[in-house]
C-alpha cells in the first residue's frame, strides 16, 4: 500500500486512541510515515475532528468539543483508507465496534483494532469480508498489547504451532501476586483498580473472560476456531492466599482440539510461574523450534498504542 496516499480515521479517542495519536506523531518521521496522516477523529464525547492539529490533546483537555456525528456515517463519508477502531469492549454483542469494523471493511478500508469483542466473537465473518475486499483486518492490540504474541509467528515461515499457553491477563496476575504477598483477594483487587489495571467492573478480568477472548483470538488466527462461548472458563475468585503462594496462575491454553482458561498450580521451574505483577507471557509449542516464549506488558496506554503502530507499519510492507 502507498504510504503517500494514506489517511487514518480514528474511532474512539479515549486512553488508547490518544496514546496512539501521540505515539504516531512521535514516531512518524523515524518510521518514514510522513505521507500518512490522522485525518479524522470520531469520539462520543469530543465529536468529529477533521484534520486535527498536533496539539489537539491540549485543546480537548481545555474542554473543546466538535460537532457530533454517527460513527457509521463518518466511516461512510470518510476518504481515509485506514480505520483505527478503539471504542469500548462488549464481550456479549461485540458492538458498536463490530458494526464500525464491518462497515469499514465493506467499504474497502483497512482496519486496525485493539477491541477484543469483534476479534473474538466475529472473527471469521470480518476476516472473510477483509479478504473479499482485498484489505487487512489487524488486531495485534487485542492480545498482550504491543508485546509480541501471535505476530511473532510471522517471523517463522512454515512453523506449525502445536499448542499455546500463557498468562494473558495482567489484572489477575497482579492480584495473584499481591495475594502471594499476603493480601486478601478484595484488597488485591482494590489495589489493581487503584493502579488502573482492572476495570471499575473487573468481572471480565477476574472471571477469566478477558483471557478467554484472547485465547479465542489466537485460536482463530491459527485456524483452530474455538468458539468464545464454548471455551471452558474459570476465574480466580475462589483462589485463596495459600494457593496463590503455591504459584497458582490464571492460565489460558489452546491446541487444535481444546481451549480453556483456569487457575493452575505451576511448578517452580515453569517459566510462567515466574511472570510477576501485571506482566503477560505466552508460550508456543512448535514443530521446528520446540518451545518459544514472549513476555512483556499486556496493557497500558502507550503499550497498547504500540500494537496499533505495529499493525499500521505492517500495512506498508
Ligand atoms: N484488563 C486487561 C488486563 C487489559 O488486565 O490484562 C488488557 O486486555
Amino acid at each position: 500500500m502507498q504510504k503517500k496516499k494514506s489517511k487514518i480515521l480514528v474511532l474512539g479517542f479515549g486512553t488508547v486512541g490518544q496514546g496512539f495519536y501521540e505515539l504516531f506523531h512521535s514516531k512518524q518521521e523515524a518510521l518514514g510515515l510522513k505521507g500518512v496522516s490522522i485525518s479524522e477523529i470520531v469520539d462520543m464525547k469530543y465529536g468529529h475532528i477533521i484534520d486535527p492539529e498536533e496539539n489537539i490533546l491540549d485543546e480537548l483537555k481545555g474542554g473543546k468539543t466538535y460537532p457530533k456525528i454517527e460513527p457509521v456515517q463518518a466511516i461512510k463519508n470518510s476518504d481515509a483508507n485506514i480505520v483505527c477502531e478503539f471504542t469500548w469492549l462488549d464481550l456479549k454483542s461485540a458492538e458498536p465496534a463490530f458494526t464500525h469494523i464491518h462497515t469499514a471493511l465493506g467499504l474497502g478500508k483497512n482496519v486496525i483494532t485493539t477491541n477484543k469483542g469483534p476479534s473474538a466473537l466475529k472473527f471469521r465473518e470480518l476476516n472473510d469480508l477483509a479478504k473479499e475486499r482485498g484489505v487487512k483486518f489487524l488486531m495485534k492490540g487485542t492480545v498482550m498489547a504491543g508485546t509480541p504474541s501471535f505476530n511473532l509467528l510471522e517471523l517463522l515461515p512454515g512453523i506449525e504451532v502445536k499448542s499455546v499457553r500463557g498468562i494473558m491477563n495482567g489484572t489477575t496476575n497482579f492480584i495473584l501476586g499481591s495475594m502471594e504477598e499476603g493480601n486478601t483477594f478484595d484488597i488485591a483487587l482494590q489495589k489493581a483498580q487503584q493502579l488502573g489495571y482492572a476495570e471499575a467492573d473487573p468481572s471480565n478480568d477476574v472471571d477469566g473472560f478477558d483471557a478467554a477472548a484472547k485465547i479465542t483470538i489466537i485460536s482463530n488466527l491459527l485456524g483452530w476456531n474455538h468458539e468464545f462461548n464454548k471455551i471452558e472458563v474459570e476465574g480466580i475468585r475462589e483462589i485463596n492466599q495459600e494457593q496463590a503462594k503455591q504459584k497458582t496462575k490464571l492460565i489460558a491454553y489452546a491446541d487444535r482440539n481444546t481451549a480453556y482458561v483456569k487457575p493452575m498450580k505451576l511448578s517452580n521451574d515453569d517459566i510462567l510461574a515466574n511472570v510477576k505483577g501485571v506482566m503477560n507471557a505466552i508460550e508456543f509449542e512448535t514443530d521446528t523450534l520446540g518451545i518459544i516464549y514472549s513476555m512483556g506488558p499486556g496493557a497500558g496506554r502507550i503499550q497498547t498504542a504500540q500494537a496499533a503502530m505495529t499493525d499500521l507499519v505492517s500495512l506498508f510492507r
Side-chain angles (χ1 to χ4, degrees), residues 41-56:
I41 296 167
V42 174
D43 183 84
M44 290 260 290
K45 179 170 160 197
Y46 303 120
H48 185 198
I49 310 169
I50 298 169
D51 291 328
E53 301 285 338
E54 250 192 83
N55 69 347
I56 185 72

Side-chain angles (χ1 to χ4, degrees), residues 116 169-171 197 205 210 214 298-299:
K116 289 170 284 247
N169 181 269
T171 300
Y197 304 145
D205 295 310
D210 175 78
K214 291 165 180 167

